[in-house]
Amino acid sequence: MLSNRFQNGMETARLVWSRLPRSEEGDLDGVGLLSTTSNRNCVESLDYEVIENYAYREEQAQRGKLFVGYNVGMKWFFALLIGIGTGFAAVFINISVENFAGWKFSLTFKIIQKSYLAGCLIYILINLALVFSSVYIITQFAPAAAGSGIPEIKGYLNGIDIPGILLLRTLIGKIFGSIGSVGGGLALGKEGPLVHTGACIASLLGQGGSTKYHISSRWLQGFKSDRDRRDLVTCGCAAGVAAAFRAPVGGVLFALEEVTSWWRSQLMWRVFFTSAIVAVVVRAAMGWCKSGNCGHFGSGGFIIWDISGGQEDYSFEELLPMAVIGVIGGLLGALFNQLTIYVTRWRRNYLHKKGNRVKIYEACLISVITSVISFGLPLLRKCSPCPDSDPASEIECPRAPGMYGNYVNVRYAHIVNYCLFLSQDDAIRNLFSAKTIHDSAPKAFWVGGTQHIRRETSSILLLSLAKQYVMFYTLAVITFGTAVPAGQFVPGIMIGSTYGRLVGIFTVNHYKKLNIEEGTYALLGAASFLGGSMRMTVSLCVIMVEITNNLKLLPLIMLVLLISKAVGDAFNEGLYEEQARLRGIPLLEPRPKYEMRKMTAKEACRNQKVLSLPRVVKVADVVSILQSNKHNGFPVIDHTRNGETLVIGLMLRSHLLVLLQSKIDFQHSPLPCDPRGGSQGIRHNFSEFAKPVSSKGISINDIHLSSDDLEMYIDLAPFLNPSPYVVPEDMSLTKVISFLQYTFVVPRASRMIGVITRKDLLIEEETDSTTMELQSTSVRFNGRGQRHEKRLLVGNADAERPLLNGLLIQDHDIQHHTSTT
């Protein structure tokens, strides 16, 4: 009877799981997301530019100041929601990881008292179960949640639409996958995934939830454009860093330095506000957990390694070993990046091609290897029991493992072997320990429920440190790239703090009269490795200061970061840039390559044949063009009375699909209509043209048209972008790259209307608040935003790039040449 019920329950669970889709839109590979050449060619750019067509202008004309105030207020409200949501997600992940680790260590310690072999087996099985749950969720439910997610988010904020990275399923997979992979003891962290988690929360809030899973709210669907989503995702990235490190200022600087390709002062305030909300939520959660409401969660989980009581001052003689730490960090960080490139490329080309089952086997095998090393490495040393605590004795016996959030409390030399048998936060906290003992006094620790002591010598200590460094460095290299959520912040800190402590030991032995703390050198080593691997400087410097609560170390951290970044840049690019390249994410660097100065816009077009559309186009022709290519934008041309071909704007593929699906703009006549004279421009709400976030949106294959529909026409004038970016054919690519959008390349125009400089765009408000005037011009605006006397073809006033150093206003009647993206 019981077995039948169990079998029925298993069948029901399989049925429910089988109904879950295996991927959101096709087969997404979380590790090699866009790895093939064909996928690279199909990458779609996000439309950050405001398309000022007639429909948009009529919609804006109907909105008054009340709507503008409401829109600003909603942006701040969304920033508040993003901070609260990311903070609660971080609290849930940290409490879950700490409780799994606490139960795991407590059970292991109890079994060790009876049998070391049984304890090792239980420890391996628990870690294996946690890692298996993580990799199974990723491979079967949310493949886009694999890895740290930072390269994908960086690509999104760079203007690349990567399907699947901001979906609800990705958020769920990221949260529960991080709990399994970090709780399972793998050599990775949860800080990178928290950045991706914050970005997913921000994106889902911006679109009002998930319509696919019927979890949506209409009143939250106020920001559907790519431009608004970009701002929200930026807030989410900063919130993720602030939650991971309890570093709100570091989160703001991380978003500014590492992931965004643009910045606005208006956004700075909202990002800072979001990070502050996260800090308040995390602080409140930690205060609530101190009363024992969070199980094994205690002082661990949230990274805060307070070493404010460490080294007070440093001498000039210490600058040399600190500079050596910077050089070592740059070399080892560049080597780490190169090794991960080789391993990731081998996985993509050979291992992961064999399917999801091989990915599961790989993650489970790495879990077993990591568990065996972390459990067996400390047993290579013999110990003696620690005597009872005596006030007159120099030996301080640590507390027994329990519900403290610091399961094996160790210090100085004995931390070397036991770092791998701790939660990562606790291991780093002990490596950063500022209490240095300059003799061979006994060191106490717990193992098997019994306190032990050990006398360390310098040779044994150095050997143990080197052994731990090699083991964890190797584990971090082979673990990074598996099909689990994986961050590299905490592993990088552990690796760097290990060799930093080594240099500190040499410095202590060499400068015996100086008040030197090895924990200071461990901190500098961690900063140097992260700087040499990730190439972060300002944000990483602030994060390290915030998590250590020691402002006195700021100049030293700045020194090692500058040296490590300079050394690392001599060999390869940063970790996230290299991983983005391996995933086929075409990031545009903020600084153009030097070779681009010698190339012109015409050369970049490569004499390609541009597919253009007439202003009034037949529906059958539109369908044929969309089916025959994957272009995302098409120039729209018209003809003058003299038969001259003119470019009148740009039509996006997504907008064409919306028009074909709705069919309300079809007309029988092939003649153009006047969009300003009738109701043609307001048949659609402008938000209807917004593409669903992180998905492929409408496909031409999803649209069904009858034979009568194919014989009708569409006038594209009300829906195209009438002011796309236009550059002359001899402009260098160093200038063209600043536009980052579809750019028309045309022959030099022979006629010029005028020149616009910076002072021409400064607005002077008259006493009548309904009237504004541009300086040095005769252009006036009434209260409804309508212009009189002359029309300026300057495009979007809120453009992302500075174009005000003498902007030539040329005649709009320019000949069609070609375009580049």
Side-chain angles (χ1 to χ4, degrees):
M1 187 70 176
L2 182 61
S3 61
N4 292 336
R5 291 185 178 180
F6 178 76
Q7 185 177 1
N8 293 335
M10 291 296 295
E11 292 179 356
T12 303
R14 291 194 190 97
L15 179 61
V16 173
W17 183 263
S18 64
R19 292 181 178 178
L20 292 175
R22 290 297 181 261
S23 62
E24 185 68 20
E25 296 290 346
D27 295 331
L28 296 175
D29 188 352
V31 179
L33 200 60
L34 298 169
S35 56
T36 63
T37 305
S38 60
N39 285 337
R40 290 181 183 180
N41 296 333
C42 297
V43 170
E44 184 175 351
S45 297
L46 295 170
D47 304 317
Y48 288 156
E49 182 189 3
V50 176
I51 299 178
E52 296 178 319
N53 51 27
Y54 292 114
Y56 172 79
R57 289 170 180 169
E58 291 185 14
E59 184 176 291
Q60 293 296 314
Q62 297 175 0
R63 296 175 177 178
K65 292 184 177 181
L66 181 61
F67 177 82
V68 175
Y70 170 79
N71 193 41
V72 173
M74 286 298 296
K75 289 182 179 180
W76 284 95
F77 179 67
F78 272 95
L80 174 66
L81 293 181
I82 293 170
I84 295 175
T86 307
F88 278 118
V91 169
F92 175 73
I93 293 175
N94 278 279
I95 290 178
S96 301
V97 169
E98 287 293 305
N99 276 281
F100 278 123
W103 296 328
K104 175 178 63 179
F105 285 123
S106 297
L107 179 60
T108 303
F109 284 132
K110 290 179 182 179
I111 299 177
I112 280 178
Q113 298 179 14
K114 301 178 181 179
S115 172
Y116 276 98
L117 183 59
C120 178
L121 183 61
I122 292 298
Y123 181 74
I124 293 174
L125 290 178
I126 294 176
N127 284 338
L128 184 61
L130 290 172
V131 173
F132 175 79
S133 66
S134 175
V135 68
Y136 193 80
I137 291 173
I138 298 303
T139 56
Q140 302 298 323
F141 181 69
S148 69
I150 293 180
E152 289 81 7
I153 298 302
K154 187 171 183 177
Y156 179 85
L157 294 178
N158 192 254
I160 305 165
D161 189 9
I162 305 175
I165 65 170
L166 297 175
L167 301 176
L168 177 62
R169 61 188 302 134
T170 304
L171 173 63
I172 296 173
K174 209 74 178 183
I175 292 176
F176 290 96
S178 298
I179 294 173
S181 61
V182 178
L186 294 179
L188 44 82
K190 56 184 178 295
E191 289 68 34
L194 270 176
V195 176
H196 195 179
T197 298
C200 290
I201 291 175
S203 177
L204 289 171
L205 287 174
Q207 63 180 350
S210 175
T211 55
K212 182 173 184 177
Y213 297 103
H214 307 289
I215 306 175
S216 61
S217 176
R218 183 178 297 273
W219 68 277
L220 287 176
Q221 299 176 0
F223 302 101
K224 290 186 176 181
S225 67
D226 292 332
R227 188 188 187 90
D228 293 330
R229 288 170 182 163
R230 176 193 61 187
D231 294 349
L232 296 177
V233 170
T234 304
C235 292
C237 291
V241 175
F245 296 100
R246 290 179 59 195
V249 180
V252 176
L253 294 177
F254 176 83
L256 171 62
E257 177 185 9
E258 190 63 22
V259 295
T260 58
S261 303
W262 49 270
W263 198 255
R264 297 202 314 270
S265 58
Q266 300 95 329
L267 183 61
M268 172 75 78
W269 289 103
R270 293 201 300 273
V271 173
F272 185 75
F273 174 71
T274 305
S275 300
I277 295 299
V278 172
V280 172
V281 172
V282 172
R283 186 69 179 180
M286 293 188 66
W288 181 69
C289 288
K290 287 182 179 179
S291 59
N293 298 319
C294 301
H296 284 270
F297 178 80
S299 59
F302 290 104
I303 298 178
I304 184 72
W305 303 303
D306 193 342
I307 60 172
S308 56
Q311 186 171 336
E312 293 292 336
D313 199 4
Y314 50 90
S315 62
F316 180 79
E317 290 84 354
E318 292 184 76
L319 294 181
L320 178 59
M322 292 174 181
V324 171
I325 289 179
V327 175
I328 295 174
L331 293 175
L332 294 179
L335 177 62
F336 181 86
N337 293 355
Q338 200 64 36
L339 291 177
T340 55
I341 291 173
Y342 293 149
V343 174
T344 303
R345 187 176 291 128
W346 176 80
R347 278 195 177 102
R348 183 188 65 189
N349 295 335
Y350 300 101
L351 196 62
H352 289 173
K353 282 186 175 181
K354 299 180 180 179
N356 291 333
R357 183 174 298 179
V358 175
K359 297 179 183 179
I360 295 176
Y361 292 159
E362 177 197 19
C364 293
L365 179 61
I366 293 176
S367 173
V368 172
I369 295 174
T370 305
S371 301
V372 170
I373 293 175
S374 61
F375 188 92
L377 191 62
L379 300 180
L380 298 179
R381 303 284 308 282
K382 293 183 179 180
C383 310
S384 57
C386 180
D388 294 335
S389 180
D390 185 2
S393 175
E394 296 180 357
I395 303 175
E396 180 184 357
C397 296
R399 61 193 177 186
M403 297 167 61
Y404 302 106
N406 200 341
Y407 305 108
V408 183
N409 193 359
V410 290
R411 286 193 182 278
Y412 190 54
H414 51 276
I415 64 177
V416 177
N417 285 330
Y418 280 84
C419 273
L420 296 178
F421 199 57
L422 291 170
S423 62
Q424 292 179 358
D425 295 346
D426 296 326
I428 297 172
R429 187 175 292 108
N430 289 309
L431 282 169
F432 283 178
S433 173
K435 295 183 180 179
T436 301
I437 305 175
H438 298 280
D439 54 26
S440 58
K443 317 302 185 299
F445 58 95
W446 277 89
V447 62
T450 306
Q451 291 172 333
H452 296 261
I453 60 173
R454 176 185 301 133
R455 294 184 179 272
E456 299 287 353
T457 62
S458 297
S459 59
I460 295 177
L461 175 58
L462 296 177
L463 182 61
S464 300
L465 274 171
K467 179 172 56 177
Q468 177 207 329
Y469 168 77
V470 172
M471 296 305 299
F472 200 85
Y473 192 96
T474 305
L475 289 175
V477 169
I478 65 174
T479 305
F480 188 77
T482 54
V484 295
Q488 281 304 114
F489 278 100
V490 169
I493 291 174
M494 285 196 66
I495 294 171
S497 58
T498 305
Y499 68 74
R501 191 110 190 176
L502 267 172
V503 177
I505 293 173
F506 282 113
T507 307
V508 168
N509 294 332
H510 188 268
Y511 304 109
K512 295 183 179 180
K513 296 183 179 181
L514 297 178
N515 183 22
I516 300 175
E517 296 292 350
E518 298 165 10
T520 301
Y521 286 81
L523 170 65
L524 297 180
S528 68
F529 186 83
L530 292 177
S533 176
M534 300 179 182
R535 313 295 159 78
M536 297 162 53
T537 53
V538 179
S539 58
L540 180 59
C541 183
V542 174
I543 289 174
M544 297 302 291
V545 171
E546 287 186 283
I547 64 180
T548 57
N549 195 24
N550 195 334
L551 190 60
K552 297 177 182 178
L553 300 178
L554 179 61
L556 303 181
I557 298 175
M558 295 172 63
L559 174 66
V560 298
L561 282 176
L562 290 174
I563 295 176
S564 63
K565 177 175 170 34
V567 173
D569 287 338
F571 295 94
N572 49 36
E573 294 188 74
L575 178 65
Y576 298 137
E577 288 76 12
E578 295 287 0
Q579 292 298 319
R581 183 177 292 106
L582 286 176
R583 286 164 167 79
I585 303 174
L587 293 178
L588 283 179
E589 299 179 2
R591 185 177 62 181
K593 298 293 184 181
Y594 178 78
E595 292 76 12
M596 290 184 175
R597 297 181 181 274
K598 303 177 182 180
M599 300 179 63
T600 62
K602 184 177 181 180
E603 294 174 351
C605 296
R606 302 175 183 175
N607 297 322
Q608 58 183 331
K609 182 179 180 181
V610 179
L611 294 176
S612 59
L613 298 172
R615 172 179 172 175
V616 182
V617 60
K618 195 174 183 180
V619 173
D621 296 336
V622 175
V623 173
S624 176
I625 291 177
L626 294 180
Q627 289 177 342
S628 62
N629 65 84
K630 300 294 183 182
H631 296 337
N632 296 312
F634 302 92
V636 179
I637 61 175
D638 201 358
H639 299 278
T640 62
R641 296 178 180 177
N642 300 329
E644 185 181 5
T645 301
L646 306 176
V647 179
I648 62 174
L650 173 71
M651 192 70 188
L652 296 180
R653 182 186 189 94
S654 58
H655 291 195
L656 288 173
L657 293 174
V658 171
L659 297 178
L660 292 178
Q661 187 181 49
S662 64
K663 303 180 183 180
I664 62 175
D665 297 284
F666 290 0
Q667 62 184 36
H668 295 280
S669 173
L671 300 177
C673 61
D674 185 8
R676 290 170 290 184
S679 59
Q680 180 86 4
I682 57 175
R683 289 184 180 179
H684 290 277
N685 189 335
F686 193 74
S687 60
E688 295 179 13
F689 294 99
K691 188 169 66 74
V693 65
S694 190
S695 64
K696 296 183 179 179
I698 308 173
S699 173
I700 185 62
N701 298 324
D702 301 330
I703 300 175
H704 303 283
L705 299 172
S706 63
S707 57
D708 294 337
D709 294 334
L710 295 176
E711 297 298 324
M712 300 187 73
Y713 297 86
I714 306 177
D715 187 0
L716 302 179
F719 312 103
L720 55 82
N721 182 5
S723 54
Y725 292 118
V726 179
V727 300
E729 59 184 348
D730 57 349
M731 177 181 284
S732 67
L733 289 186
T734 56
K735 293 184 178 181
V736 175
I737 198 174
S738 63
F739 295 100
L740 297 178
Q741 290 292 333
Y742 302 98
T743 305
F744 289 174
V745 180
V746 299
R748 279 200 175 272
S750 58
R751 292 181 294 174
M752 184 179 68
I753 297 177
V755 178
I756 290 182
T757 61
R758 184 181 302 273
K759 66 179 182 179
D760 297 320
L761 296 181
L762 298 177
I763 296 178
E764 286 186 347
E765 293 191 10
E766 299 183 359
T767 55
D768 183 7
S769 60
T770 61
T771 306
M772 296 183 300
E773 183 175 351
L774 293 178
Q775 293 183 4
S776 305
T777 68
S778 59
V779 181
R780 299 176 64 85
F781 300 83
N782 62 17
R784 294 176 296 173
Q786 296 176 344
R787 291 171 285 191
H788 298 285
E789 299 187 20
K790 188 170 69 175
R791 179 185 178 190
L792 292 178
L793 301 177
V794 297
N796 181 16
D798 194 21
E800 301 295 345
R801 300 291 176 176
L803 304 174
L804 307 181
N805 296 324
L807 180 63
L808 298 179
I809 305 303
Q810 299 174 340
D811 196 331
H812 198 48
D813 298 338
I814 54 179
Q815 294 180 353
H816 168 229
H817 187 284
T818 183
S819 66
T820 182
T821 57

